[in-house]
Amino acid sequence: MTAAFTAHRRRIAVFAPYRAAMFTRPVLSPAARPVIEATAPVVAARLPAITPDFYRRLFAAHPSLLDGVFSRSNQGSGRQSAALAASVVRFATALLAGDHPVELVRRIAHRHAALGITQEQYAIVHEHLFAAIAADLGDAVTDDVAAAWSEVYWLFADLLVATERALYRQQANDTYWARWRLVAQDRPTHAVRHLVFAPADDTPVTPAVAGQYVSVRVATADGVREVRQYSLLAPGAERRIGVKRDDSGAVSPILHAMAVGAEVELSNPYGDLTLDDGDDPLVLATAGIGCTPAVGFLESLARDRSTRRVLVLHADRSRADWAFAGTVEALVRDLPGATLHTWFEDDRAHPRMVLGDVPLPERATLLLCGPLGFMQAVRDQALALGVPDTRIRYEVFGPDAWLKGS
């Protein structure tokens, strides 16, 4: 660890109590801006190498973080490292451009809240991330460089902490996790299991908004807990999810093998891919098990007897692989302003979703959920058809290394 970084750590300890008073809109200081402009390309290029070292240091010092917080499978694949690199680079780039990356902060804050991340853990991450940066860049980490990048980190962290605190205050309870019991299940397709949970204790239930998800935490064979997020199939106090089995996964095989009466831990509902209060048209574009948030949206619209124009677009391997097909079709029939279009890989004439096949309503908001490649392809089509980027929203489960505009 360089002397410059060690000295800067002491200054950060003194500075920390004042961070909460920072303004909401992040602005780089005059001293930090030229340093970040000069070093951002270097740091961005080195982050893929820095972040694996950071995680090694973090888990060596705090192995408990691998129990129910960080995903071991994401660590093994390197996806978490890629996501961290992407978010740090995007935040620094936004600061240089004078932008407020509200969407990035909000999405990450919701994911952190769904994992029960605490304010104290940001200081732990700072310690080990900057130790990894110093080890990789060596003497290039001068006092000025350490100070500037620490400023970026704490601007980012403070925005996340403030957003997470606001989310926690909206809960009906003061806990991160509660026990829920499996009370019913069925199999809409051979690969998908529909699970219905009821509270197993007296923890007050936080109502969900359509489009939100919950974290499910289960113990694996070696006793270590793993967490995954699943979209809720209905708003309100219900907890219904669709789980697609991944034979190589750590969590979905456990959920598929559960018997009625078994218990799991669920988080409060989170997620910012929710319906707005306007009446502009909606386009719900989904693929595979990504149809689950669309079910929640349609359930909410049906309960409100909405006349809003809704275009439901779904792509899948085949009709037989489309989970909740009957539910979606019934909800579309109940909504006077809704229409449905589908694409299936086993249909040679229409194997892939093509937005040009359907007339997109003017002023429509496009909500995407599905595999990453699908969302990138549909987003590119939408942009080519003139849909503004500000009207394209998406949900990524797992580490989000997709940067809009890239």
Side-chain angles (χ1 to χ4, degrees), residues 316-398:
D316 224 310
R317 292 182 178 179
S318 69
R319 165 80 189 193
D321 287 299
W322 180 15
F324 308 107
T327 300
V328 171
E329 290 172 334
L331 288 167
V332 168
R333 286 195 298 270
D334 287 344
L335 290 166
T339 55
L340 172 66
H341 299 267
T342 57
W343 293 258
F344 299 113
E345 290 181 16
D346 62 357
D347 178 356
R348 292 185 179 181
H350 306 283
R352 297 285 187 274
M353 184 179 294
V354 179
L355 292 187
D357 288 351
V358 294
L360 296 181
E362 293 185 4
R363 304 186 316 280
T365 296
L366 180 60
L367 306 182
L368 308 176
C369 194
L372 184 58
F374 161 80
M375 292 193 295
Q376 289 172 321
V378 173
R379 174 177 173 267
D380 289 344
Q381 292 181 47
L383 292 174
L385 291 171
V387 179
D389 187 58
T390 54
R391 286 187 172 269
I392 304 174
R393 302 173 61 204
Y394 67 96
E395 185 69 83
V396 174
F397 289 110

Side-chain angles (χ1 to χ4, degrees), residues 106-323:
R106 189 170 55 229
R107 184 182 303 113
I108 294 175
H110 275 271
R111 196 58 50 84
H112 283 183
L115 292 171
I117 299 297
T118 65
Q119 182 177 358
E120 292 73 23
Q121 288 169 336
Y122 284 95
I124 294 172
V125 168
H126 176 271
E127 176 185 355
H128 297 288
L129 176 59
F130 277 76
I133 290 173
D136 186 81
L137 299 181
D139 292 340
V141 184
T142 64
D143 252 1
D144 290 342
V145 170
W149 280 98
S150 255
E151 183 176 319
V152 169
Y153 177 86
W154 284 118
L155 283 170
F156 198 10
D158 285 335
L159 286 171
L160 290 169
V161 168
T163 306
E164 289 154 23
R165 281 179 174 172
L167 292 173
Y168 292 143
R169 285 196 296 269
Q170 295 170 15
Q171 296 176 177
N173 54 65
D174 59 359
T175 185
Y176 299 128
W177 300 97
R179 302 294 302 180
W180 289 69
R181 182 177 296 109
L182 181 65
V183 295
Q185 64 90 21
D186 60 79
R187 295 184 183 275
T189 72
H190 71 285
V192 175
R193 194 178 187 199
H194 172 212
L195 305 177
V196 183
F197 295 97
D201 57 31
D202 59 358
T203 302
V205 175
T206 302
V209 176
Q212 290 190 313
Y213 55 82
V214 291
S215 290
V216 180
R217 188 162 72 172
V218 297
T220 57
D222 60 3
V224 174
R225 293 170 297 179
E226 282 276 0
V227 180
R228 296 293 183 273
Q229 283 81 40
Y230 295 97
S231 294
L232 291 166
L233 289 162
E238 294 182 88
R239 297 294 186 263
R240 296 192 291 116
I241 61 174
V243 179
K244 183 176 181 179
R245 183 183 177 96
D246 177 1
D247 289 332
S248 62
V251 174
S252 65
I254 294 175
L255 295 179
H256 270 241
M258 283 177 51
V260 169
E263 293 185 6
V264 298
E265 291 179 292
L266 297 185
S267 73
N268 287 282
Y270 294 103
D272 68 329
L273 189 70
T274 56
L275 297 176
D276 57 51
D277 294 328
D279 56 5
D280 284 346
L282 294 171
V283 178
L284 308 180
T286 65
I289 196 60
C291 66
T292 51
V295 173
F297 292 138
L298 294 171
E299 288 273 10
S300 179
L301 292 166
R303 291 182 187 185
D304 293 342
R305 300 183 181 277
S306 174
T307 59
R308 192 171 185 175
R309 186 174 180 189
V310 183
L311 195 60
V312 182
L313 313 178
H314 183 72
D316 224 310
R317 292 182 178 179
S318 69
R319 165 80 189 193
D321 287 299
W322 180 15

Side-chain angles (χ1 to χ4, degrees), residues 52-66 70 75 124 127-128:
D53 182 40
F54 152 64
Y55 282 113
R56 284 192 292 270
R57 293 171 183 269
L58 177 68
F59 298 136
H62 301 276
S64 63
L65 291 176
L66 278 172
F70 287 89
Q75 295 305 314
I124 294 172
E127 176 185 355
H128 297 288

